[in-house]
Amino acid sequence: MLFRFNNIIKVLGLLLVVTLNAQTKPEHVVIISIDGFRSEFYLDNTMPTPNLQEMVDKGVAAKEVTGIFPTVTYPSHTTLITGKTPVEHGIFYNTKMSENGSSGGWVYDFKEIKAKTLWQSVKEKGLTTAAVSWPISVNADYIDYNIPEFWSFTNPMDRRIATAQKANPKGLFEEVVKNATGTLEINDYNLSSLSMDQNLARIAGYILREYKPNLLTIHLPITDGAQHKVGRKGLGVRKAISGADNAIGIIRDALQKAGIEDKTTIIVSGDHGFVDVHSQIAPNVLLAKMGLYNKNNPKAWFYSAGGSTFLHVKDSNNKKMIEQIREAFDQLPLEEKSTFKIIDRDKIAKRGGDPNAVLALSGSKGYFFTNDADGPFISTKKGGKHGHYPDFHDIATGFVGYGKGLEKEMLIENMFLEDVAKIAATLLGADIDQPEEYYHVVLE
């Protein structure tokens, strides 16, 4: 089905109106990403999210946002800032994959992004930009005020010195600590406690008050860790989303104090949903039994993205070996075969996944993948995961739009993760090379 995006965004037959005349066009857009954001957080009025629920009541919200593949943080955040899928922006996984299939370091440098970003397009309009803890923003020349997501390679729990060194302009991190957060201990600025989201929001609030950027993007990460630990529900998840909602309140308060609240659009979205899991699958165990995988020089390997895993081969011309692997998984006993579905290359391409992967596996509800090549094929492991193919509600993320330039009191059925950047670009009159017509595909 074809949907035209011009002055009107049509999403499954419903209209999200973006007004572009001078009287209603916002001067500022704030994009808030909540890691592991789900629509239940704002559509369920028993959740501790008063800011989000007020914004839903007075703005626009979606019942679900279909993600890219895999539904993991760094590729998804790159889609949020480019309006492109991974095959276009070049970020396929959270981490780099080595030649032997092992996981390398996290992707963090802006130069890895191959598509035009919102930051660049806004700068080209002569406007100002800011980012706080946004993935893959290190060394981003298009961000005027940048506190990137970064940490020490020798002591990953300590993000303070590494962040200060990569902040732009130099001295900005020290400035925001002095004026927004006060002295930060190690655990005030990492993923170990709820205070991380609060401190990031205070930093963003200070930048909004002091510098009034036209575009500010901020990533709130704590809700992700809570759901990894216990799954979709639980007291820890409620605490984390309450903390993220409070962070939104801090940002809203800063906009008011800066005198720009009525000139601003706030967009809250995320990168993926979450799936409750009870078991992990190790497909490299089967490859090892077939004589195709060894740690130092594998002929083939599966590279895990949590809820999915991608098959890579050394020799892509060896069609016989590839077919043998597929047959091996097709012929597994029903109780093992039912734990996943095979995603072929055409289906990978539908959501922009790695074109170098021969095929992928996506876990059934309750299952995820590990890179392990020894031990049992399936073993018990409880918690929450994401990364699955984005064709069911639990893995979908959310969207709330509030403020100048957006329609009010509107609930839409579905949108795509790519739409977030396109909406923001339209509001600011920027160009991220988006087509006039957008195609929304109903996934198989």
Side-chain angles (χ1 to χ4, degrees):
M1 189 176 292
L2 176 63
F3 292 78
R4 180 176 296 275
F5 180 109
N6 214 335
N7 289 353
I8 297 176
I9 303 168
K10 293 184 178 179
V11 186
L12 297 186
L14 295 172
L15 304 183
L16 170 58
V17 179
V18 180
T19 50
L20 299 179
N21 61 71
Q23 287 73 33
T24 56
K25 182 178 176 182
E27 296 179 14
H28 308 272
V29 171
V30 176
I31 299 176
I32 302 170
S33 164
I34 298 177
D35 211 307
F37 191 47
R38 297 159 27 210
S39 61
E40 292 84 1
F41 292 150
Y42 51 85
L43 295 180
D44 180 353
N45 61 14
T46 68
M47 295 299 290
T49 55
N51 283 289
L52 280 167
Q53 291 179 48
E54 180 188 18
M55 292 163 66
V56 170
D57 289 343
K58 297 180 180 180
V60 181
K63 291 183 179 179
E64 61 180 34
V65 177
T66 300
I68 48 87
F69 187 50
T71 45
V72 293
T73 299
Y74 278 27
S76 297
H77 274 83
T78 311
T79 293
L80 282 172
I81 203 66
T82 63
K84 303 292 194 298
T85 62
V87 73
E88 298 169 291
H89 63 56
I91 309 299
F92 298 110
Y93 310 105
N94 285 338
T95 55
K96 295 181 179 181
M97 182 178 63
S98 67
E99 290 184 358
N100 67 354
S102 62
S103 180
W106 283 67
V107 183
Y108 62 85
D109 199 298
F110 179 77
K111 69 182 180 182
E112 302 287 344
I113 299 176
K114 308 306 181 188
K116 189 176 185 180
T117 65
L118 266 175
W119 302 312
Q120 179 181 351
S121 63
V122 169
K123 284 290 291 179
E124 289 174 350
K125 291 285 294 182
L127 304 176
T128 55
T129 59
V132 178
S133 195
W134 197 270
I136 320 183
S137 63
V138 173
N139 301 322
D141 293 336
Y142 300 107
I143 305 176
D144 296 300
Y145 307 100
N146 188 15
I147 304 293
E149 181 163 289
F150 199 54
W151 53 85
S152 166
F153 296 151
T154 57
N155 182 14
M157 289 293 286
D158 193 350
R159 297 182 172 217
R160 299 166 300 173
I161 295 175
T163 301
Q165 291 173 342
K166 297 297 183 180
N168 179 61
K170 292 295 183 184
L172 181 61
F173 187 73
E174 292 83 354
E175 179 184 344
V176 298
V177 167
K178 177 182 177 181
N179 293 290
T181 68
T183 302
L184 293 171
E185 302 298 332
I186 288 179
N187 290 338
D188 294 325
Y189 200 73
N190 62 32
L191 305 184
S192 68
S193 70
L194 295 173
S195 63
M196 179 64 162
D197 280 356
Q198 311 305 303
N199 284 320
L200 292 174
R202 292 185 182 98
I203 291 169
Y206 172 79
I207 292 172
L208 287 167
R209 294 195 310 270
E210 186 71 14
Y211 300 108
K212 298 180 177 61
N214 300 102
L215 171 68
L216 182 140
T217 61
I218 176 173
H219 171 219
L220 303 175
I222 297 302
T223 308
D224 179 76
Q227 293 176 96
H228 274 299
K229 187 175 182 180
V230 301
R232 290 170 58 87
K233 297 181 179 179
L235 181 60
V237 177
R238 292 178 67 87
K239 286 181 177 180
I241 190 57
S242 175
D245 186 82
N246 182 257
I248 293 171
I250 291 171
I251 292 169
R252 293 179 68 189
D253 182 64
L255 291 169
Q256 183 180 35
K257 290 177 177 176
I260 57 174
E261 181 182 27
D262 61 349
K263 304 174 184 177
T264 300
T265 302
I266 301 175
I267 293 173
V268 184
S269 190
D271 44 6
H272 51 73
F274 254 89
V275 178
D276 291 326
V277 296
H278 51 69
S279 302
Q280 66 178 11
I281 308 169
N284 284 326
V285 167
L286 182 54
L287 294 185
K289 290 179 179 179
M290 296 173 67
L292 300 176
Y293 181 89
N294 68 71
K295 186 175 182 179
N296 296 322
N297 187 27
K299 296 178 181 178
W301 65 89
F302 280 95
Y303 192 70
S304 172
S308 61
T309 188
F310 293 75
L311 176 62
H312 292 264
V313 296
K314 276 283 177 67
D315 182 6
S316 60
N317 293 318
N318 192 338
K319 306 300 182 184
K320 182 178 179 180
M321 181 185 69
I322 294 170
E323 187 58 32
Q324 287 175 339
I325 294 172
R326 188 179 185 110
E327 288 179 0
F329 282 88
D330 276 333
Q331 294 170 7
L332 285 169
L334 180 60
E335 61 269 24
E336 293 181 347
K337 187 178 177 181
S338 64
T339 64
F340 62 85
K341 54 189 173 185
I342 296 176
I343 310 296
D344 60 27
R345 297 186 80 167
D346 288 343
K347 199 169 181 181
I348 291 172
K350 281 187 177 181
R351 294 309 296 141
D354 188 348
N356 296 311
V358 174
L359 58 82
L361 308 178
S362 184
S364 303
K365 285 190 178 181
Y367 295 89
F368 71 101
F369 298 91
T370 174
N371 286 334
D372 295 345
D374 51 21
F377 182 68
I378 300 177
S379 57
T380 299
K381 185 79 170 181
K382 294 183 178 181
K385 288 289 182 180
H386 53 87
H388 304 70
Y389 194 79
D391 58 356
F392 61 102
H393 176 75
D394 284 5
I395 202 60
T397 188
F399 174 89
V400 177
Y402 171 81
K404 195 164 188 178
L406 292 183
E407 186 58 272
K408 296 176 175 59
E409 300 179 15
M410 179 171 288
L411 181 63
I412 59 179
E413 292 293 322
N414 174 269
M415 57 191 291
F416 279 58
L417 198 65
E418 302 96 293
D419 293 332
V420 176
K422 296 171 183 179
I423 293 169
T426 302
L427 288 167
L428 289 171
D431 178 16
I432 52 170
D433 302 326
Q434 68 265 38
E436 291 185 1
E437 296 176 339
Y438 297 165
Y439 295 83
H440 288 224
V441 179
V442 179
L443 300 176
E444 296 176 354

